[in-house]
Amino acid sequence: MKESELRERTRVLLDEVHPDDEGVSRVDFRSAQFDHGLALVHFPEGLGGFGLSPKLQAVVNEEIQSHAKTFYENLVVNPIGIGMGAPVVLTYGSEEQKRTLIKRIYTGEDIWCQMFSEPSAGSDVAGLSTRAVRDGDDWVLNGQKVWTTLAHVSKWGMLLARTNPDVPKHDGLSYFLLDMESPGVDVRPLYQITAEAEFNEVFLNDVRIPHEQMLGAEGQGWRVAITTLMNERSALGGGSSRKGGGPVSVLTRILAESGAQRSPAEQAILEDKATQLYIRAELLRLTTQRAKATQRSGNPGPEGSVGKLAQAEIYKDVWETCVAALGDDGLLYEPGYELRRPTGDFRGTGESSAEKHILQAKYQLLRSQANSIEGGTSEIMRNILGERVLGLPGEPRVDKEIAWKDVPRG
Ligand SMILES: Cc1cc2nc3c(=O)[nH]c(=O)nc-3n(C[C@H](O)[C@H](O)[C@H](O)COP(=O)(O)OP(=O)(O)OC[C@H]3O[C@@H](n4cnc5c(N)ncnc54)[C@H](O)[C@@H]3O)c2cc1C
């Protein structure tokens, strides 16, 4: 399908249902978008797309944004569901699961979370301890997950658990879809440096999951988890779609507005740094575009780690430079430092105001520290790229052949 046809189809959708129209809710609009095949264009027909290259989704999004005042951003509604849940269900789910789950993910009716990390298993997630034991048609789960983003508002969790401790760690895992409203699921907030609790610890006490909610076969959970993680890294490393857009645009604005407060020498140093960051951000944008252009429909590969690694490091530097440019004022955060759950749409403090970009920079300086940890740390991204993309020798893995239960652990 040509780009022009996709634009035409998007205009037909907008003629039928417009997000700015009174009485049209976000769910109404996104539901119609899904039915028109314009939600996830790389998904098959009938499941939100047309089996096209994922890069063409940007054409639809641009077209909607240029004709609508309503803020429209593809992932913000349900980042984990859309970025990871939908592709995993598409790859491993039954026909029934695809039909019932994917659309509700896209509309945001069902929020999803990812339940991999545990207190002693983050980078080494395959070493996790949460146990699932078969009991008739159900599995009974006990254990603890941590850093579970959005668990407090989620309907479904993508959960990795150990179903066989007698084999090496990767072979004894299975992957479940957990209904977060099930008895025995206890979600507790964890507050971050930003004062928000985006994520949680989740305790599982004799939680029952029906066998049909296992994705992939018993013992094949690691394969399903890898699909999830590749999609996560690809979603996290997307960069900005517009040249000079995203965080770099905030830096440019702050530098221009605050220049009078600095000596010419200080300004020249900051401008030099900003130029370097602009170039790095542009390289990231073009690399991401190139990766999307070569990717057809289907799951991304380990190359997705390039964007994830580069974006995490660039964004941290950009926000740090923004706050440096704000001078002493950059050190002030917000009165009261009130602990809260995030509101969802604008991640950061403050209402819409002329100073929103300044509030955003201060908030993001804190939030961006997580960019090089969430979805796998930068060190782990470098390991993946070294081993799986460049073909360098692997790290020594002493527990690879040993039954999980025999691996010494603290
Ligand atoms: C904001 C945020 C949101 C998150 N959301 C979720 C979520 O929704 N669901 C979920 O399951 N998890 C989530 N996580 C958890 C995240 O995936 C883990 O924090 C991450 O994988 C690192 O694991 P860890 O914290 O246990 O650190 P560790 O694995 O203990 O790592 C500690 C340090 O050692 C380094 N290290 C570890 N192994 C190696 C190695 N082999 N080579 C070199 N260096 C190494 C790491 O890079 C790191 O610097 C989230 C984390 C953050 C910060």
Side-chain angles (χ1 to χ4, degrees):
M1 189 185 297
K2 290 211 177 92
E3 212 179 294
S4 52
E5 190 185 336
L6 211 47
R7 285 192 194 279
E8 181 52 35
R9 284 175 181 267
T10 310
R11 286 193 288 270
V12 170
L13 162 72
L14 289 166
D15 283 344
E16 258 177 56
V17 189
H18 199 290
D20 293 348
D21 285 350
E22 211 174 315
V24 173
S25 68
R26 189 179 71 191
V27 171
D28 295 337
F29 179 70
R30 292 177 76 89
S31 175
Q33 188 185 353
F34 189 93
D35 294 341
H36 279 250
L38 299 169
L40 302 156
V41 294
H42 53 300
F43 273 41
E45 273 188 64
L47 289 172
F50 287 109
L52 305 175
S53 161
K55 78 169 181 171
L56 290 171
Q57 189 62 48
V59 173
V60 175
N61 297 356
E62 260 170 45
E63 197 63 30
I64 295 173
Q65 202 60 85
S66 66
H67 289 93
K69 288 198 226 63
T70 307
F71 174 69
Y72 181 88
E73 210 278 314
N74 211 24
L75 283 176
V76 103
V77 169
N78 190 4
I80 296 173
I82 296 173
M84 297 142 75
V88 165
V89 172
L90 183 67
T91 311
Y92 293 100
S94 64
E95 291 309 312
E96 163 85 1
Q97 283 166 329
K98 291 179 201 174
R99 203 173 40 74
T100 54
L101 296 173
I102 294 178
K103 185 171 177 181
R104 290 178 66 84
I105 290 177
Y106 190 73
T107 59
E109 285 163 284
D110 290 343
I111 304 295
W112 282 47
C113 64
Q114 175 202 15
M115 306 173 79
F116 286 12
S117 302
E118 297 184 2
S120 347
S123 300
D124 181 26
V125 72
L128 58 77
S129 314
T130 291
R131 276 289 273 136
V133 177
R134 185 83 190 242
D135 180 25
D137 291 339
D138 292 341
W139 289 86
V140 180
L141 278 85
N142 281 287
Q144 185 199 339
K145 297 291 173 180
V146 74
W147 321 125
T148 319
T149 305
L150 298 178
H152 55 294
V153 288
S154 288
K155 170 66 183 164
W156 292 103
M158 294 170 272
L159 187 148
L160 204 53
R162 188 157 306 281
T163 44
N164 185 356
D166 298 324
V167 291
K169 61 182 181 182
H170 293 94
D171 302 332
L173 299 170
S174 300
Y175 194 106
F176 297 91
L177 294 185
L178 168 64
D179 181 341
M180 297 296 285
E181 290 161 18
S182 307
V185 178
D186 180 8
V187 178
R188 302 182 197 170
L190 285 171
Y191 288 94
Q192 292 146 265
I193 193 174
T194 54
E196 291 179 321
E198 276 177 83
F199 52 31
N200 306 271
E201 39 184 5
V202 183
F203 297 87
L204 305 163
N205 301 308
D206 289 331
V207 174
R208 299 188 85 85
I209 305 184
H211 179 67
E212 63 266 23
Q213 282 167 217
M214 182 183 276
L215 280 196
E218 184 183 337
Q220 296 286 306
W222 185 245
R223 277 183 58 190
V224 190
I226 288 292
T227 304
T228 317
L229 291 168
M230 300 278 188
N231 278 287
E232 177 175 32
R233 285 156 196 169
S234 175
L236 284 173
S240 168
S241 56
R242 192 166 56 79
K243 187 174 182 177
V248 162
S249 67
V250 180
L251 174 59
T252 318
R253 187 169 166 192
I254 289 177
L255 271 188
E257 286 173 358
S258 59
Q261 301 164 14
R262 285 184 287 276
S263 70
E266 283 171 332
Q267 181 71 0
I269 290 168
L270 277 172
E271 279 176 8
D272 184 53
K273 193 153 188 210
T275 308
Q276 297 300 327
L277 288 166
Y278 188 100
I279 293 168
R280 284 169 63 195
E282 183 58 5
L283 284 173
L284 168 66
R285 189 182 74 85
L286 294 173
T287 305
T288 311
Q289 272 190 2
R290 203 174 51 175
K292 280 196 180 150
T294 51
Q295 191 197 332
R296 302 205 58 75
S297 47
N299 289 302
E303 325 68 61
S305 297
V306 175
K308 156 78 172 92
L309 171 64
Q311 178 163 309
E313 303 299 325
I314 294 169
Y315 283 8
K316 280 206 291 192
D317 288 350
V318 170
W319 296 119
E320 204 177 300
T321 312
C322 285
V323 172
L326 289 170
D328 293 347
D329 184 44
L331 298 176
L332 296 173
Y333 189 51
E334 60 174 276
Y337 194 69
E338 191 185 326
L339 299 186
R340 61 180 177 272
R341 288 292 199 178
T343 52
D345 69 3
F346 170 60
R347 292 181 165 212
T349 53
E351 306 299 311
S352 70
S353 73
E355 298 206 319
K356 191 167 164 178
H357 60 296
I358 294 177
L359 297 170
Q360 187 185 1
K362 293 176 185 180
Y363 166 83
Q364 288 291 357
L365 173 73
L366 301 180
R367 178 61 182 79
S368 63
Q369 302 310 310
N371 293 165
S372 52
I373 305 173
E374 60 196 333
T377 66
S378 288
E379 289 76 24
I380 296 299
M381 293 308 110
R382 289 189 179 97
N383 282 351
I384 293 171
L385 291 171
E387 292 180 23
R388 303 211 35 214
V389 178
L390 300 176
L392 297 172
E395 285 201 324
R397 292 187 172 87
V398 289
D399 57 352
K400 208 171 166 207
E401 310 295 335
I402 306 173
W404 177 84
K405 66 174 176 14
D406 297 329
V407 176
R409 57 181 63 83

